Coordinates of all heavy atoms in Angstrom, one line a residue:
S1 N 0.8 -1.2 0.0 CA 0.0 0.0 0.0 C 0.9 1.3 0.0 O 2.0 1.2 0.5 CB -0.9 0.0 1.2 OG -0.3 0.2 2.4
I2 N 0.4 2.3 -0.6 CA 1.1 3.6 -0.6 C 0.3 4.5 0.2 O -0.9 4.7 0.0 CB 1.2 4.1 -2.1 CG1 2.0 3.1 -2.9 CG2 1.9 5.4 -2.1 CD1 2.0 3.4 -4.4
R3 N 1.0 5.2 1.1 CA 0.4 6.1 2.0 C 0.1 7.5 1.4 O 0.9 8.0 0.7 CB 1.3 6.3 3.2 CG 0.6 7.0 4.4 CD 1.5 6.8 5.6 NE 2.0 8.2 6.0 CZ 2.9 8.4 6.8 NH1 3.4 7.4 7.5 NH2 3.3 9.6 7.1
G4 N -1.1 7.9 1.7 CA -1.5 9.3 1.2 C -1.4 10.2 2.4 O -0.6 10.0 3.3
T5 N -2.2 11.3 2.4 CA -2.1 12.3 3.5 C -2.6 11.7 4.8 O -2.2 12.1 5.8 CB -2.8 13.6 3.1 OG1 -4.1 13.3 2.7 CG2 -2.0 14.3 1.9
N6 N -3.6 10.8 4.7 CA -4.1 10.2 5.9 C -4.4 8.7 5.5 O -4.4 8.3 4.3 CB -5.3 10.9 6.5 CG -6.5 11.0 5.5 OD1 -6.8 10.0 4.9 ND2 -7.0 12.2 5.4
D7 N -4.8 7.9 6.5 CA -5.0 6.5 6.2 C -6.1 6.2 5.2 O -6.1 5.2 4.4 CB -5.3 5.7 7.5 CG -4.0 5.5 8.3 OD1 -2.9 5.6 7.7 OD2 -4.1 5.2 9.5
S8 N -7.1 7.1 5.1 CA -8.2 6.8 4.2 C -7.8 7.1 2.8 O -8.4 6.7 1.8 CB -9.4 7.7 4.6 OG -9.1 9.1 4.4
D9 N -6.7 7.8 2.6 CA -6.1 8.1 1.2 C -5.2 7.0 0.8 O -4.6 7.1 -0.3 CB -5.4 9.4 1.2 CG -6.3 10.6 1.4 OD1 -7.5 10.5 1.1 OD2 -5.8 11.7 1.9
R10 N -5.0 6.0 1.6 CA -4.0 4.9 1.2 C -4.4 4.2 0.0 O -5.5 3.8 -0.2 CB -3.9 3.9 2.4 CG -2.8 2.9 2.2 CD -2.7 2.0 3.5 NE -2.3 2.8 4.6 CZ -1.0 3.1 4.9 NH1 0.0 2.7 4.1 NH2 -0.7 3.8 6.0
E11 N -3.5 4.1 -1.0 CA -3.7 3.4 -2.2 C -3.3 2.0 -2.1 O -2.1 1.7 -1.8 CB -2.9 4.1 -3.4 CG -3.1 3.5 -4.7 CD -4.4 3.7 -5.4 OE1 -5.0 4.7 -5.2 OE2 -4.8 2.7 -6.0
E12 N -4.2 1.1 -2.3 CA -3.9 -0.4 -2.3 C -3.5 -0.8 -3.7 O -4.3 -0.7 -4.6 CB -5.1 -1.2 -1.8 CG -5.6 -0.7 -0.4 CD -4.7 -1.0 0.8 OE1 -3.7 -1.8 0.6 OE2 -5.0 -0.5 1.8
I13 N -2.3 -1.4 -3.8 CA -1.8 -1.8 -5.1 C -1.5 -3.3 -4.9 O -1.0 -3.8 -4.0 CB -0.5 -1.1 -5.4 CG1 -0.8 0.4 -5.6 CG2 0.1 -1.7 -6.7 CD1 0.4 1.2 -5.8
V14 N -1.9 -4.1 -6.0 CA -1.7 -5.5 -6.1 C -0.9 -5.8 -7.3 O -1.1 -5.2 -8.4 CB -3.1 -6.2 -6.2 CG1 -2.9 -7.7 -6.5 CG2 -3.9 -6.0 -4.9
F15 N 0.1 -6.7 -7.1 CA 0.8 -7.2 -8.3 C 0.4 -8.7 -8.5 O 0.4 -9.5 -7.5 CB 2.3 -7.2 -8.0 CG 2.8 -5.8 -8.0 CD1 2.9 -5.0 -6.9 CD2 3.3 -5.2 -9.2 CE1 3.3 -3.7 -6.9 CE2 3.8 -3.9 -9.3 CZ 3.8 -3.2 -8.1
F16 N 0.0 -9.0 -9.7 CA -0.4 -10.4 -10.1 C 0.2 -10.7 -11.5 O -0.1 -9.9 -12.4 CB -1.9 -10.5 -10.0 CG -2.4 -11.9 -10.3 CD1 -2.2 -12.9 -9.4 CD2 -3.0 -12.2 -11.6 CE1 -2.7 -14.2 -9.7 CE2 -3.4 -13.5 -11.9 CZ -3.2 -14.5 -10.9
D17 N 0.9 -11.7 -11.6 CA 1.6 -12.0 -12.9 C 2.4 -10.8 -13.4 O 2.3 -10.5 -14.6 CB 0.6 -12.5 -13.9 CG 0.2 -14.0 -13.7 OD1 0.9 -14.7 -12.9 OD2 -0.8 -14.4 -14.3
D18 N 3.1 -10.2 -12.5 CA 3.9 -9.0 -12.9 C 3.2 -7.8 -13.4 O 3.8 -7.0 -14.1 CB 5.1 -9.4 -13.8 CG 6.0 -10.4 -13.2 OD1 6.3 -10.3 -12.0 OD2 6.5 -11.3 -13.9
V19 N 1.9 -7.7 -13.2 CA 1.1 -6.6 -13.6 C 0.6 -5.9 -12.3 O 0.2 -6.5 -11.4 CB -0.1 -7.0 -14.5 CG1 -1.0 -5.8 -14.8 CG2 0.4 -7.8 -15.7
R20 N 0.6 -4.6 -12.3 CA 0.2 -3.8 -11.2 C -1.3 -3.4 -11.3 O -1.7 -2.9 -12.4 CB 1.1 -2.5 -11.0 CG 0.7 -1.7 -9.8 CD 1.5 -0.5 -9.7 NE 1.2 0.4 -10.9 CZ 1.9 1.6 -11.1 NH1 2.9 1.9 -10.3 NH2 1.5 2.3 -12.1
Y21 N -2.0 -3.5 -10.3 CA -3.5 -3.1 -10.3 C -3.7 -2.2 -9.1 O -3.3 -2.5 -8.0 CB -4.3 -4.4 -10.1 CG -4.2 -5.4 -11.2 CD1 -3.3 -6.4 -11.1 CD2 -5.0 -5.3 -12.4 CE1 -3.1 -7.3 -12.1 CE2 -4.8 -6.2 -13.4 CZ -3.9 -7.2 -13.3 OH -3.7 -8.1 -14.3
R22 N -4.3 -1.1 -9.3 CA -4.7 -0.1 -8.3 C -6.2 -0.4 -7.9 O -7.1 -0.2 -8.7 CB -4.5 1.3 -8.8 CG -3.1 1.7 -9.0 CD -3.0 3.1 -9.4 NE -1.6 3.4 -9.7 CZ -0.8 4.0 -8.7 NH1 -1.2 4.2 -7.5 NH2 0.5 4.2 -9.0
L23 N -6.4 -0.9 -6.7 CA -7.7 -1.4 -6.3 C -8.8 -0.3 -6.1 O -9.9 -0.6 -6.1 CB -7.6 -2.2 -5.1 CG -6.8 -3.5 -5.3 CD1 -6.7 -4.3 -4.0 CD2 -7.3 -4.3 -6.4
K24 N -8.4 1.0 -6.0 CA -9.4 2.0 -5.9 C -10.0 2.3 -7.3 O -11.0 3.0 -7.3 CB -8.7 3.3 -5.3 CG -8.5 3.2 -3.8 CD -8.2 4.6 -3.3 CE -8.1 4.5 -1.8 NZ -7.8 5.8 -1.2
Q25 N -9.4 1.8 -8.3 CA -9.9 2.1 -9.7 C -10.8 0.8 -10.1 O -10.2 -0.2 -10.2 CB -8.8 2.3 -10.6 CG -8.0 3.6 -10.3 CD -6.9 3.8 -11.2 OE1 -6.7 3.2 -12.3 NE2 -6.0 4.8 -10.8
E26 N -12.0 1.0 -10.3 CA -13.0 -0.1 -10.5 C -12.6 -0.9 -11.8 O -12.7 -2.1 -11.8 CB -14.4 0.5 -10.7 CG -15.4 -0.6 -10.6 CD -15.4 -1.4 -9.3 OE1 -15.2 -0.8 -8.2 OE2 -15.6 -2.6 -9.3
E27 N -12.1 -0.2 -12.8 CA -11.7 -0.9 -14.0 C -10.5 -1.8 -13.8 O -10.5 -2.9 -14.3 CB -11.4 0.1 -15.2 CG -11.0 -0.6 -16.5 CD -12.0 -1.6 -17.0 OE1 -13.2 -1.4 -16.9 OE2 -11.6 -2.6 -17.6
Q28 N -9.6 -1.4 -12.9 CA -8.4 -2.2 -12.6 C -8.8 -3.4 -11.8 O -8.3 -4.5 -11.9 CB -7.3 -1.4 -12.0 CG -6.8 -0.4 -13.0 CD -5.3 0.0 -12.7 OE1 -4.7 -0.6 -11.8 NE2 -4.8 0.9 -13.5
K29 N -9.8 -3.2 -10.9 CA -10.3 -4.4 -10.1 C -11.0 -5.4 -11.1 O -10.7 -6.6 -10.9 CB -11.4 -3.9 -9.1 CG -10.8 -3.3 -7.9 CD -11.8 -2.8 -6.9 CE -12.4 -3.8 -6.1 NZ -13.2 -3.3 -5.0
K30 N -11.7 -4.9 -12.1 CA -12.3 -5.9 -13.0 C -11.2 -6.6 -13.8 O -11.3 -7.8 -14.1 CB -13.2 -5.1 -14.0 CG -14.5 -4.6 -13.3 CD -15.3 -3.8 -14.3 CE -16.5 -3.2 -13.6 NZ -17.3 -2.3 -14.5
R31 N -10.1 -5.9 -14.2 CA -9.0 -6.5 -14.9 C -8.4 -7.6 -14.1 O -8.0 -8.6 -14.6 CB -8.0 -5.4 -15.4 CG -8.5 -4.6 -16.6 CD -7.5 -3.6 -17.0 NE -6.2 -4.1 -17.1 CZ -5.1 -3.5 -16.7 NH1 -5.2 -2.3 -16.1 NH2 -3.9 -4.0 -16.8
L32 N -8.2 -7.3 -12.8 CA -7.6 -8.3 -11.9 C -8.5 -9.5 -11.8 O -8.0 -10.6 -11.8 CB -7.4 -7.6 -10.5 CG -6.8 -8.5 -9.4 CD1 -5.5 -9.2 -9.9 CD2 -6.6 -7.8 -8.1
Q33 N -9.8 -9.3 -11.7 CA -10.8 -10.4 -11.6 C -10.6 -11.3 -12.8 O -10.6 -12.5 -12.8 CB -12.2 -9.9 -11.5 CG -13.2 -10.9 -11.5 CD -13.5 -11.4 -10.1 OE1 -13.5 -10.7 -9.1 NE2 -13.7 -12.7 -10.0
R34 N -10.5 -10.6 -14.0 CA -10.3 -11.4 -15.3 C -9.0 -12.2 -15.3 O -8.9 -13.3 -15.7 CB -10.4 -10.5 -16.5 CG -11.9 -10.1 -16.8 CD -12.0 -9.4 -18.2 NE -11.2 -8.2 -18.3 CZ -11.6 -6.9 -18.0 NH1 -12.8 -6.8 -17.6 NH2 -10.8 -5.9 -18.1
A35 N -8.0 -11.5 -14.7 CA -6.6 -12.2 -14.7 C -6.7 -13.4 -13.8 O -6.1 -14.4 -14.1 CB -5.6 -11.2 -14.2
F36 N -7.4 -13.3 -12.7 CA -7.6 -14.5 -11.8 C -8.3 -15.6 -12.6 O -7.9 -16.8 -12.6 CB -8.4 -14.2 -10.6 CG -7.7 -13.4 -9.5 CD1 -8.5 -12.7 -8.6 CD2 -6.4 -13.3 -9.4 CE1 -7.9 -11.9 -7.5 CE2 -5.7 -12.6 -8.4 CZ -6.5 -11.9 -7.5
S37 N -9.4 -15.2 -13.3 CA -10.1 -16.2 -14.1 C -9.3 -16.9 -15.1 O -9.4 -18.1 -15.4 CB -11.3 -15.5 -14.8 OG -12.3 -15.1 -13.8
L38 N -8.4 -16.1 -15.8 CA -7.6 -16.7 -16.8 C -6.6 -17.7 -16.3 O -6.1 -18.6 -17.1 CB -6.9 -15.6 -17.6 CG -7.8 -14.7 -18.5 CD1 -7.0 -13.6 -19.0 CD2 -8.4 -15.5 -19.6
R39 N -6.2 -17.6 -15.0 CA -5.2 -18.5 -14.5 C -5.8 -19.8 -13.9 O -5.1 -20.7 -13.4 CB -4.4 -17.8 -13.4 CG -3.7 -16.6 -13.9 CD -2.5 -17.1 -14.7 NE -1.5 -17.4 -13.8 CZ -0.4 -18.2 -14.0 NH1 -0.3 -18.8 -15.2 NH2 0.4 -18.5 -13.1
T40 N -7.1 -19.9 -13.9 CA -7.8 -21.1 -13.4 C -8.0 -22.1 -14.5 O -8.2 -21.7 -15.7 CB -9.1 -20.8 -12.7 OG1 -10.0 -20.2 -13.6 CG2 -9.0 -19.9 -11.5
T41 N -7.9 -23.4 -14.2 CA -8.0 -24.4 -15.2 C -9.1 -25.4 -14.7 O -8.9 -25.9 -13.6 CB -6.7 -25.1 -15.5 OG1 -5.7 -24.1 -15.8 CG2 -6.8 -26.1 -16.6
E42 N -10.0 -25.7 -15.6 CA -11.1 -26.7 -15.2 C -10.4 -28.0 -14.9 O -9.5 -28.5 -15.7 CB -12.0 -26.9 -16.4 CG -13.2 -27.7 -16.1 CD -14.3 -27.0 -15.4 OE1 -14.4 -25.8 -15.5 OE2 -15.0 -27.7 -14.6
G43 N -10.7 -28.6 -13.8 CA -10.2 -29.9 -13.4 C -8.9 -29.9 -12.7 O -8.4 -30.9 -12.3
R44 N -8.3 -28.7 -12.5 CA -7.0 -28.6 -11.8 C -7.2 -27.7 -10.6 O -7.8 -26.6 -10.7 CB -5.9 -28.0 -12.7 CG -5.2 -29.0 -13.5 CD -4.0 -28.3 -14.2 NE -2.9 -28.1 -13.3 CZ -1.8 -27.6 -13.7 NH1 -1.5 -27.4 -15.0 NH2 -0.8 -27.4 -12.9
E45 N -6.7 -28.1 -9.5 CA -6.8 -27.2 -8.3 C -5.9 -26.0 -8.4 O -4.8 -26.1 -8.8 CB -6.4 -28.0 -7.0 CG -6.6 -27.2 -5.8 CD -6.3 -28.1 -4.6 OE1 -7.3 -28.7 -4.1 OE2 -5.2 -28.0 -4.0
T46 N -6.5 -24.8 -8.1 CA -5.7 -23.6 -8.2 C -5.6 -23.0 -6.8 O -6.6 -22.8 -6.1 CB -6.4 -22.6 -9.2 OG1 -6.7 -23.2 -10.4 CG2 -5.6 -21.3 -9.4
T47 N -4.4 -22.6 -6.5 CA -4.2 -21.9 -5.2 C -3.6 -20.5 -5.4 O -2.7 -20.4 -6.2 CB -3.2 -22.8 -4.3 OG1 -3.8 -24.1 -4.1 CG2 -3.0 -22.1 -2.9
L48 N -4.1 -19.6 -4.7 CA -3.6 -18.2 -4.7 C -2.9 -17.9 -3.4 O -3.5 -18.1 -2.3 CB -4.7 -17.2 -5.0 CG -4.3 -15.7 -4.9 CD1 -3.3 -15.4 -6.1 CD2 -5.5 -14.8 -5.0
L49 N -1.7 -17.3 -3.4 CA -1.0 -16.9 -2.2 C -1.1 -15.4 -2.2 O -0.6 -14.7 -3.1 CB 0.4 -17.4 -2.1 CG 1.2 -16.8 -1.0 CD1 0.7 -17.2 0.4 CD2 2.7 -17.2 -1.1
I50 N -1.7 -14.8 -1.2 CA -1.7 -13.3 -1.0 C -0.7 -13.0 0.0 O -0.7 -13.4 1.2 CB -3.1 -12.9 -0.4 CG1 -4.2 -13.2 -1.5 CG2 -3.1 -11.4 -0.2 CD1 -5.6 -12.9 -1.0
F51 N 0.4 -12.3 -0.5 CA 1.5 -11.9 0.4 C 1.4 -10.4 0.6 O 1.6 -9.6 -0.3 CB 2.8 -12.2 -0.3 CG 4.0 -12.1 0.5 CD1 4.3 -13.0 1.6 CD2 5.0 -11.1 0.3 CE1 5.4 -12.8 2.4 CE2 6.1 -11.0 1.0 CZ 6.3 -11.8 2.1
A52 N 0.9 -10.1 1.8 CA 0.5 -8.7 2.1 C 1.4 -8.0 3.1 O 1.8 -8.6 4.1 CB -0.9 -8.6 2.6
D53 N 1.6 -6.7 2.9 CA 2.3 -5.9 3.9 C 1.3 -5.8 5.1 O 0.1 -5.8 4.9 CB 2.5 -4.5 3.2 CG 3.2 -3.5 4.1 OD1 2.7 -3.2 5.1 OD2 4.3 -3.1 3.7
R54 N 1.8 -5.6 6.3 CA 0.9 -5.5 7.5 C 0.1 -4.3 7.4 O -0.9 -4.2 8.1 CB 1.8 -5.5 8.7 CG 2.4 -6.9 9.0 CD 3.1 -6.9 10.4 NE 3.7 -8.2 10.6 CZ 3.1 -9.3 11.1 NH1 1.8 -9.2 11.4 NH2 3.8 -10.4 11.2
K55 N 0.4 -3.3 6.6 CA -0.4 -2.0 6.5 C -1.6 -2.2 5.6 O -2.4 -1.3 5.6 CB 0.5 -0.9 6.1 CG 1.6 -0.6 7.0 CD 2.5 0.5 6.5 CE 3.6 0.8 7.5 NZ 4.6 1.7 6.9
V56 N -1.7 -3.3 4.9 CA -2.8 -3.5 4.0 C -4.0 -3.8 4.9 O -4.0 -4.6 5.8 CB -2.6 -4.7 3.0 CG1 -3.8 -5.0 2.2 CG2 -1.4 -4.3 2.1
S57 N -5.1 -3.1 4.6 CA -6.3 -3.3 5.4 C -6.9 -4.7 5.3 O -6.8 -5.4 4.2 CB -7.4 -2.3 5.0 OG -8.0 -2.6 3.8
H58 N -7.5 -5.1 6.3 CA -8.2 -6.5 6.4 C -9.3 -6.5 5.3 O -9.4 -7.6 4.6 CB -8.8 -6.7 7.8 CG -9.5 -8.0 7.9 ND1 -10.9 -8.1 7.8 CD2 -9.1 -9.2 8.2 CE1 -11.2 -9.3 7.9 NE2 -10.1 -10.0 8.2
G59 N -10.0 -5.4 5.1 CA -11.0 -5.4 4.0 C -10.5 -5.7 2.7 O -11.1 -6.3 1.8
T60 N -9.3 -5.1 2.4 CA -8.7 -5.3 1.1 C -8.3 -6.8 0.9 O -8.5 -7.4 -0.2 CB -7.4 -4.5 0.9 OG1 -7.8 -3.1 1.0 CG2 -6.7 -4.7 -0.4
V61 N -7.8 -7.4 1.9 CA -7.4 -8.8 1.8 C -8.6 -9.7 1.6 O -8.7 -10.6 0.8 CB -6.6 -9.3 3.1 CG1 -6.4 -10.8 3.1 CG2 -5.3 -8.6 3.2
V62 N -9.7 -9.4 2.3 CA -11.0 -10.1 2.1 C -11.5 -9.9 0.7 O -12.0 -10.9 0.1 CB -12.0 -9.7 3.2 CG1 -13.4 -10.3 2.9 CG2 -11.5 -10.2 4.6
D63 N -11.5 -8.7 0.2 CA -11.9 -8.4 -1.1 C -11.1 -9.3 -2.1 O -11.7 -9.9 -3.1 CB -11.8 -7.0 -1.5 CG -12.8 -6.1 -0.8 OD1 -13.8 -6.6 -0.3 OD2 -12.6 -4.8 -0.8
L64 N -9.8 -9.3 -2.0 CA -9.0 -10.2 -2.9 C -9.4 -11.6 -2.8 O -9.4 -12.3 -3.8 CB -7.5 -10.0 -2.6 CG -6.9 -8.6 -3.0 CD1 -5.5 -8.5 -2.4 CD2 -6.9 -8.5 -4.5
M65 N -9.6 -12.1 -1.6 CA -10.0 -13.5 -1.4 C -11.3 -13.8 -2.1 O -11.4 -14.8 -2.8 CB -10.1 -13.8 0.1 CG -8.8 -13.9 0.8 SD -9.1 -14.0 2.6 CE -10.0 -15.6 2.7
N66 N -12.3 -12.9 -2.0 CA -13.5 -13.1 -2.6 C -13.5 -13.0 -4.1 O -14.1 -13.8 -4.8 CB -14.6 -12.1 -2.1 CG -15.0 -12.3 -0.7 OD1 -15.0 -13.5 -0.2 ND2 -15.4 -11.3 0.0
M67 N -12.7 -12.1 -4.6 CA -12.5 -12.0 -6.1 C -11.9 -13.3 -6.6 O -12.3 -13.8 -7.7 CB -11.5 -10.8 -6.4 CG -12.2 -9.5 -6.2 SD -11.0 -8.1 -6.3 CE -10.4 -8.3 -8.0
A68 N -10.9 -13.8 -5.9 CA -10.2 -15.1 -6.4 C -11.2 -16.2 -6.4 O -11.3 -17.0 -7.3 CB -9.0 -15.3 -5.5
L69 N -12.0 -16.4 -5.3 CA -12.9 -17.5 -5.2 C -14.0 -17.4 -6.3 O -14.4 -18.4 -6.9 CB -13.5 -17.5 -3.8 CG -12.5 -17.9 -2.7 CD1 -13.1 -17.7 -1.3 CD2 -12.0 -19.2 -2.8
I70 N -14.5 -16.2 -6.5 CA -15.5 -16.0 -7.6 C -14.9 -16.4 -9.0 O -15.6 -16.9 -9.8 CB -16.0 -14.5 -7.6 CG1 -16.9 -14.3 -6.4 CG2 -16.8 -14.2 -8.9 CD1 -17.2 -12.9 -6.1
A71 N -13.6 -16.1 -9.1 CA -12.9 -16.4 -10.4 C -12.6 -17.9 -10.6 O -12.2 -18.3 -11.6 CB -11.6 -15.6 -10.5
G72 N -12.9 -18.7 -9.5 CA -12.7 -20.1 -9.7 C -11.4 -20.6 -9.0 O -11.1 -21.8 -9.1
V73 N -10.7 -19.8 -8.2 CA -9.6 -20.3 -7.4 C -10.1 -21.1 -6.3 O -11.1 -20.8 -5.6 CB -8.8 -19.1 -6.9 CG1 -7.7 -19.5 -5.9 CG2 -8.2 -18.2 -8.0
D74 N -9.5 -22.3 -6.1 CA -10.0 -23.3 -5.1 C -9.5 -22.9 -3.7 O -10.3 -23.1 -2.8 CB -9.4 -24.7 -5.5 CG -10.0 -25.1 -6.8 OD1 -11.2 -25.3 -7.0 OD2 -9.1 -25.3 -7.8
K75 N -8.3 -22.5 -3.6 CA -7.7 -22.2 -2.2 C -7.0 -20.9 -2.2 O -6.4 -20.5 -3.2 CB -6.7 -23.3 -1.8 CG -7.3 -24.6 -1.6 CD -6.2 -25.6 -1.1 CE -6.8 -27.0 -1.0 NZ -5.7 -27.9 -0.6
V76 N -7.2 -20.1 -1.1 CA -6.5 -18.9 -1.0 C -5.7 -18.9 0.4 O -6.3 -19.2 1.4 CB -7.5 -17.7 -0.9 CG1 -6.7 -16.4 -0.7 CG2 -8.3 -17.6 -2.2
N77 N -4.4 -18.7 0.3 CA -3.6 -18.7 1.5 C -3.1 -17.2 1.7 O -2.9 -16.5 0.7 CB -2.4 -19.6 1.3 CG -2.8 -21.0 1.2 OD1 -3.7 -21.5 1.9 ND2 -2.1 -21.8 0.3
I78 N -2.8 -16.9 2.9 CA -2.4 -15.5 3.2 C -1.1 -15.5 4.0 O -1.0 -16.4 4.9 CB -3.5 -14.8 4.1 CG1 -4.8 -14.7 3.3 CG2 -3.1 -13.4 4.4 CD1 -6.0 -14.3 4.2
A79 N -0.2 -14.7 3.6 CA 1.1 -14.5 4.4 C 1.3 -13.0 4.6 O 0.9 -12.2 3.7 CB 2.2 -15.1 3.6
A80 N 2.0 -12.7 5.6 CA 2.3 -11.3 5.9 C 3.8 -11.1 6.1 O 4.5 -12.0 6.5 CB 1.6 -10.8 7.2
K81 N 4.2 -9.9 5.6 CA 5.6 -9.6 5.8 C 5.9 -9.4 7.3 O 5.1 -8.9 8.0 CB 6.0 -8.3 5.1 CG 6.1 -8.4 3.6 CD 6.6 -7.1 3.1 CE 6.8 -7.1 1.6 NZ 7.3 -5.8 1.1
P82 N 7.0 -9.9 7.8 CA 7.3 -9.8 9.3 C 7.6 -8.3 9.6 O 7.8 -7.5 8.8 CB 8.5 -10.6 9.5 CG 9.0 -11.0 8.2 CD 8.0 -10.7 7.2

């Protein structure tokens, strides 16, 4: 996440397959959802690892988990930087 003038201005950024997505921009969230969908394969288990900075909001992590599950990801694991 990138800090703004206050915590509510914090920009949440996600990298997936070496592409950056800014989650405050609805079109970029849709592109990330499509990218998740493209990485799932019928008949094969798909796992996503969310590696998040401790400053990333809980809501953002939950949103990412939900987006992945809707896209067909079977398992979502979460890790935090120490």
